[in-house]
Amino acid sequence: MPELPDLPPIRETIAAHGLSASKALGQNFLLDEKLLDRIAALPGDLAGQNVLEVGPGPGGLTRALLRAGARVTAIEMDSRCLPALAELGDVFPGQLTVIEGDAMKLDHGEIMPQATEREPFHVLSNLPYNVGTALFVKWLSGTKGDEAWPPQWLSLTLMFQREVAERIVSKPGTSAYGRLAVLAQWRSNARLAMKVHRSAFTPPPKVMSAIVHLIPGKAPEGVSARTLERLTEAAFGQRRKMLRQSVKGVSGALEALAELGIDETRRAETLSVGEFVGVARVMGG
């Protein structure tokens, strides 16, 4: 693993560039490089692999990814952080591409190296809290939002607030089970890979964090992701109500429940991922 003799500790880099975490941008900086190396190792060997990172900030996780031999494309909308990232690019020539912009507005497949050949990539990110869930749903919809599956990404390794991370991996019948669990699990394998204490961040957030790791699986045939998204949004949007009330506004949902013999007096949290997928299949596009 290459050393970083020309780089000061991350804390010194932050001080040298006068950086501070922006609450408006949902920033919290990780400074523990051993922890960052552990995060970078979660997907396996990244040597020579393309990696997308959103919100690198001063480049803590970016350093770990570059040390692991990855070719990193980082999207950063905070121009204050660009000089610190440029220093990393100088130390690891040819390994780092930084794009200034809003990750929610960019086509991630198009900005990656060899995009025209749809070369796959991993996604690793300490996601900004204010857009983390929206970005996650975007990736679950396929890189281009075209429902193509398997997606262009090979894995997602993402830092969330622990509460959100637990929702993603939760099981039916639990209080955390909801829309995110169904969307994540119907065609991906999701696991809680690591818990991260709030004290690991600067400044420490008010909540604990956790890292979720997802690998795309086989997509059930005859199911539209858009239909499943509409169904789960309605079902869990009124989770205390019976299905006959919560999904009555979704065209074809009540008919699909009846066809499958699913009791419409049940509540959304009692349906398995497979049952939601079955309802969406019967509903069609």
Side-chain angles (χ1 to χ4, degrees), residues 63-128:
R63 293 180 179 209
L65 295 170
L66 294 171
R67 281 197 295 265
R71 297 192 300 266
V72 180
T73 298
I75 304 173
E76 179 57 67
M77 66 183 302
D78 186 354
S79 59
R80 301 175 306 152
C81 295
L82 299 182
L85 294 171
E87 291 177 356
L88 281 177
D90 291 339
V91 174
F92 293 92
Q95 278 186 247
L96 177 62
T97 300
V98 179
I99 298 173
E100 184 179 5
D102 184 346
M104 285 298 299
K105 298 178 180 178
L106 293 171
D107 185 323
H108 300 161
E110 289 298 328
I111 67 174
M112 296 303 292
Q114 294 84 42
T116 56
E117 301 174 13
R118 285 187 61 82
E119 183 172 337
F121 56 90
H122 298 271
V123 181
L124 286 92
S125 184
N126 173 16
L127 289 174

Side-chain angles (χ1 to χ4, degrees), residues 133 137 176-184 229-230 232-233 236 239:
T133 302
V137 173
Y177 181 68
R179 175 172 175 258
L180 284 182
V182 177
L183 296 182
E229 287 174 10
R230 287 190 293 111
T232 54
E233 184 176 13
F236 289 104
R239 63 183 298 137

Side-chain angles (χ1 to χ4, degrees), residues 4 6-20 29-31 33 56-60 63 80-88 91:
L4 290 173
D6 298 325
L7 285 176
I10 302 170
R11 189 180 300 277
E12 292 183 16
T13 296
I14 291 172
H17 291 276
L19 298 176
S20 59
F29 300 151
L30 273 174
L31 306 183
E33 300 214 26
R63 293 180 179 209
R80 301 175 306 152
C81 295
L82 299 182
L85 294 171
E87 291 177 356
L88 281 177
V91 174

Side-chain angles (χ1 to χ4, degrees), residues 225-244:
R226 293 292 176 270
T227 300
L228 189 62
E229 287 174 10
R230 287 190 293 111
L231 175 64
T232 54
E233 184 176 13
F236 289 104
Q238 303 181 72
R239 63 183 298 137
R240 293 185 178 181
K241 294 185 177 181
M242 298 177 185
L243 288 169
R244 67 184 177 197

